[in-house]
Every structure is written in structure tokens, then in C-alpha cells.
Amino acid sequence: MNAPTGVAADARDHYVSLDGRTTIDVRHASDAAAVHGDDTAALRRRFLVQRMFRADAITLTYSHVDRMVIGGAMPVGESLLLQALKPIGSPRFLDRRELGIINVGGPGTVHADGSNYTLAKLDSLYLGMGTADVRF
């Protein structure tokens, strides 16, 4: 059986785009035995996602627990391109995944494959697999 092995609480990979505006932290899976004795501080180091929003940047965390990516985009001065860094494993971010967007800030626009979607605070948007160009 190929069960995940325990990984140290600080075992993460960190990737940064060439322009420095997109980052991805990769969290590796931890099995139940590895986390059984963890105190609250250790569990927070393993699972809590912090600092999701940085001005003029996209900050992502890729968790191997559910193979999910969670993140924040905060365009302030210019639009931000959703880039597929190495952990995504495909040329474009949405080649093999879908994207749910929830606007938790002020009014904003998402540009997807030539269409513009204006979102008010707490509006949501779904972008399907295969969407090639996504900008915030």
C-alpha cells in the first residue's frame, strides 16, 4: 500500500515566478501517525495558510492533502496574470483544473480569454478547465 509518509512540519517547497509577482508554497501530505502527537503550534505550521494577500501579487498554496490550490490575488497598480509555475505541472494554470473566485475586497475585474467579468465584494466567478488567459 502506498500511504503517504510523515513529513516534517516545515517541509515545504517554495516557487517564485521570474517577475516575482506569483508565488506557490507546496504543502506535502502528512499521515495520521505523523500528526498524532502534534500540539496546536505544530498543526498550525503544517496546515494553516497565512499571508494570502500581498499588494500587486498572487500568493498560492498547493496542498497535496486534497491536491487543491488556495490563494489570493491583490492587484493594486496593474493587472496580475495567473501563471502556472512548476508545481502546477502544465503550461497553463487551468489546463487540468477549474477555478472558483470569490472577491473579498473592493470592486474588481477578472479577464478570462478575452471576456471581462466585473465582481463586487463577495461576488463569485467560476472558470472552467481549459481557460487559457486569466488576469485579475
Side-chain angles (χ1 to χ4, degrees):
M1 192 167 167
N2 291 327
T5 59
V7 175
D10 59 353
R12 297 185 187 139
D13 299 323
H14 183 75
Y15 298 84
V16 180
S17 63
L18 292 176
D19 65 5
R21 294 174 57 179
T22 301
T23 60
I24 299 179
D25 284 322
V26 178
R27 306 278 178 94
H28 298 281
S30 301
D31 66 16
V35 300
H36 179 72
D38 284 356
D39 61 9
T40 301
L43 289 171
R44 289 174 65 87
R45 281 192 307 274
R46 282 186 199 269
F47 298 107
L48 181 64
V49 177
Q50 298 185 79
R51 295 178 293 279
M52 233 189 322
F53 296 98
R54 294 182 302 127
D56 286 322
I58 297 175
T59 305
L60 304 170
T61 299
Y62 181 8
S63 172
H64 283 287
V65 174
D66 290 321
R67 296 202 53 201
M68 123 183 129
V69 179
I70 185 172
M74 187 176 169
V76 176
E78 52 190 278
S79 70
L80 301 170
L81 173 65
L82 183 59
Q83 302 177 59
L85 301 182
K86 184 179 179 181
I88 299 303
S90 61
R92 294 181 306 237
F93 195 90
L94 295 179
D95 279 349
R96 296 187 286 189
R97 60 184 37 87
E98 302 161 297
L99 179 64
I101 300 167
I102 301 172
N103 182 6
V104 296
T109 303
V110 176
H111 310 278
D113 286 347
S115 296
N116 296 324
Y117 303 94
T118 301
L119 302 178
K121 185 173 184 172
L122 302 182
D123 281 353
S124 62
L125 176 66
Y126 166 83
L127 297 177
M129 184 170 50
T131 304
D133 183 51
V134 180
R135 297 171 188 273
F136 301 95

